[in-house]
Amino acid sequence: METGKAFLQLENYIGGRFVPTKSHISSHDPSTGEVYCKVPDSGKEEVDAAVNAAKAAFPIWSSWSAQDRSRVMNKLADLIENHLEEFAQAESKDQAGLISPWNLPLYLLTWKIAPAIACGNTVVAKPSEMSSVTAWMMCRFLSEADIPPGVVNIVFGTGPKAGEALVCHPDVPIISFTGSTVTAQRIIEKSAPHCKKLSLELGGKNPAIVFEDANLEECVTTTVRSSFSNQGEICLCTSRIYVHSSIYTEFLQKFVEATRKWKVSIPSDPTANMGALISQTHLTKVRSYVRKALAEGATIKCGEGVDTLNIPSNNQGGYFMLPTVITGLKEESCCMQEEIFGPVTCVVPFDTEEEAIEKANGVKYGLAATIWTRDVGRTHRVAKKLQAGLVWTNCWLVRDLNLPFGGMKASGLGREGAKDSYEFFTEVKTVTIKH
Ligand code: NAD
């Protein structure tokens, strides 16, 4: 919806300066549905200019010592109060293309830029067209931090146009991509003729396994958070909860009760637990999964279609929905197999440890998993058998940026520290245990 307001108009950042573009696309405020800013609709021409700037800056930047590079990166980290200083120097040096998704936009973008430039690469980054503003704001700090022109170039635009121009560019031999598995398949195909090095961080369908000896209070509180934080729009969010049959009824009752207390509200409400989803298209997609579940005979325990969503009249055009809990689904249901990437989670009972592991592993994804038990022996046994790059026990989202991160199976490729064999993935699995 366009109102008569003046919009923020973003520009590409190429060779150390902002460069206007001829055409733009609209980006919407998810909490109102109104146009919020205009984002450059870049294509091959803009990507070529950015790659040329990155190539021109490369000889000098790559010859800087690691200490000099880290000095300016620390300065940038201070300016944006970010985690850039976590990254140390390594050996790879080239022009890298970085493509990031709309969720956690600044965090995921800087998580790509920092290690790339710390290694002496120069980069062209393309943030998501749906959440470009924080990247654009960061550009202003690059020169202030004395990062030489051309080391970091940001080109805004859509995936098929700007993203694909970067993926296909012959002078960009490395692509680091975070996003959906479907887009990754396209990137693999398009980059194959150039034999590019790829790092792919993709989707998930993350299970939580709740054993009969779990601390239920902590488990319920954390699992509500792991399911619905950021509207369930974090790749590491829980979307399938397997609960031992002996505590299933008690867990479900407590979980639904706690979910109903999770407040959906507008950005200015400090008591909000959840805001709007990213777009109308995404909201429609997430809701369609709830409808499909109903059609399959599942039960919606709370949320969408069951409870009432209260949003102020000014925000009626926003993309809000209630956190939703579903039971009674079969493992083969699309709600159990596909990444919904919204505030929807499914609860399923199990009887044995083997059954829980088999069900948890029964999807194409393998990003993260959570185990709830007080039995340390079981923790190690189960974690080893779970096909997930990250396994948390009795906690969620406890992170150290120095630990290997990434997914198995269709959740990723090029996981740091890992090789392509299944055994090796298991050995380097990141298992975080809270005692
Ligand atoms: P997406 O795949 O639609 O888009 C991601 C980025 O790729 C965007 O910048 C988009 O413009 C670009 N893109 C789209 N088509 C392209 C093409 N043909 N060529 C080049 N670039 C293209 O994903 P999204 O909807 O923005 O993000 C959500 C997805 O990201 C979810 O699947 C989520 O699980 C995943 N994700 C994964 C991680 C992780 O670390 N594993 C982290 C965050 C998000």
Side-chain angles (χ1 to χ4, degrees):
M1 185 172 54
E2 299 236 4
T3 59
K5 286 184 199 162
F7 305 116
L8 189 62
Q9 186 144 315
L10 311 192
E11 293 176 329
N12 289 330
Y13 187 78
I14 298 174
R17 59 188 190 91
F18 286 101
V19 184
T21 38
K22 289 179 220 111
S23 56
H24 292 85
I25 43 179
S26 299
S27 185
H28 295 79
D29 176 348
S31 72
T32 60
E34 291 173 5
V35 175
Y36 157 64
C37 75
K38 296 283 182 179
V39 176
D41 185 13
S42 311
K44 188 174 178 312
E45 193 184 320
E46 290 80 5
V47 169
D48 283 350
V51 173
N52 286 339
K55 278 173 75 177
F58 179 72
I60 294 187
W61 179 249
S62 58
S63 68
W64 278 31
S65 69
Q67 287 77 11
D68 283 344
R69 287 200 295 263
S70 106
R71 179 178 46 75
V72 293
M73 286 180 64
N74 280 333
K75 203 165 163 190
L76 181 61
D78 287 344
L79 286 166
I80 59 176
E81 294 185 14
N82 198 270
H83 56 255
L84 305 184
E85 71 274 13
E86 300 271 347
F87 295 93
Q89 72 276 9
E91 73 291 343
S92 135
K93 285 186 187 165
D94 237 315
Q95 280 80 241
L98 315 176
I99 302 176
S100 53
W102 48 259
N103 70 317
L104 314 178
L106 185 64
Y107 174 84
L108 290 172
L109 182 70
T110 53
W111 205 22
K112 289 195 178 305
I113 292 176
I117 65 171
C119 296
N121 303 285
T122 54
V123 302
V124 177
K126 194 212 80 67
S128 168
E129 60 276 28
M130 283 190 274
S131 53
S132 297
V133 174
T134 47
W136 174 75
M137 290 167 86
M138 181 195 68
C139 294
R140 281 183 285 175
F141 295 125
L142 292 167
S143 57
E144 220 177 299
D146 298 326
I147 298 210
V151 171
V152 178
N153 306 277
I154 313 267
V155 175
F156 298 97
T158 66
K161 213 169 143 188
E164 224 160 283
L166 190 53
V167 168
C168 297
H169 200 294
D171 293 338
V172 180
I174 303 170
I175 297 291
S176 170
F177 169 78
T178 301
S180 64
T181 301
V182 172
T183 305
Q185 286 162 348
R186 174 98 183 149
I187 289 176
I188 293 168
E189 192 189 315
K190 286 282 163 186
S191 62
H194 305 279
C195 293
K196 297 197 179 196
K197 288 191 194 114
L198 298 179
S199 162
L200 306 175
E201 299 289 356
L202 312 178
K205 188 71 187 169
N206 310 309
I209 304 178
V210 185
F211 288 100
E212 61 278 19
D213 60 344
N215 176 334
L216 222 48
E217 212 166 296
E218 268 191 38
C219 170
V220 166
T221 310
T222 305
T223 310
V224 169
R225 203 163 54 80
S226 73
S227 301
F228 305 121
S229 287
N230 205 44
Q231 304 76 242
E233 296 171 329
I234 303 177
C235 57
L236 301 166
C237 273
T238 304
S239 58
R240 297 175 292 146
I241 308 170
Y242 295 103
V243 186
H244 191 265
S245 47
S246 63
I247 55 160
Y248 178 77
T249 308
E250 188 187 357
F251 173 90
L252 190 61
Q253 186 236 318
K254 290 193 157 111
F255 186 71
V256 168
E257 205 174 286
T259 300
R260 281 210 164 102
K261 290 190 186 141
W262 198 255
K263 185 174 177 191
V264 179
S265 192
I266 57 174
S268 57
D269 180 351
T271 64
N273 297 110
M274 221 177 89
L277 275 70
I278 185 68
S279 67
Q280 182 61 57
T281 309
H282 190 54
L283 175 66
T284 305
K285 178 188 147 191
V286 174
R287 282 188 167 146
S288 77
Y289 278 99
V290 181
R291 278 201 308 279
K292 283 179 202 164
L294 269 176
E296 287 172 14
T299 305
I300 314 301
K301 300 301 284 188
C302 64
E304 176 73 9
V306 173
D307 299 306
T308 310
L309 176 63
N310 292 311
I311 294 293
S313 55
N314 284 348
N315 297 80
Q316 290 299 322
Y319 317 132
F320 296 92
M321 80 174 268
L322 288 165
T324 299
V325 179
I326 308 180
T327 59
L329 283 165
K330 296 207 172 84
E331 288 304 300
E332 59 271 23
S333 159
C334 62
C335 294
M336 295 293 286
Q337 292 292 323
E338 294 170 18
E339 184 184 43
I340 300 175
F341 212 54
V344 176
T345 198
C346 311
V347 190
V348 176
F350 71 86
D351 289 316
T352 65
E353 189 177 297
E354 292 68 33
E355 182 193 345
I357 294 167
E358 194 186 327
K359 286 182 166 168
N361 288 342
V363 294
K364 69 175 178 181
Y365 296 104
L367 188 56
T370 309
I371 306 169
W372 289 90
T373 180
R374 290 177 163 108
D375 180 339
V376 176
R378 173 188 269 159
T379 292
H380 286 285
R381 203 168 53 237
V382 175
K384 209 166 171 153
K385 289 182 189 163
L386 284 176
Q387 295 166 355
L390 289 134
V391 179
W392 284 291
T393 303
N394 302 328
C395 59
W396 177 73
L397 214 59
V398 176
R399 297 279 306 279
D400 181 327
L401 291 174
N402 291 312
L403 288 174
F405 174 86
M408 297 168 68
K409 304 196 309 195
S411 289
L413 188 76
R415 183 174 190 264
E416 196 192 329
K419 286 199 179 134
D420 285 341
S421 95
Y422 175 76
E423 270 76 22
F424 199 80
F425 267 129
T426 310
E427 288 311 308
V428 298
K429 184 176 292 173
T430 306
V431 181
T432 306
I433 305 173
K434 186 179 164 218
H435 294 286

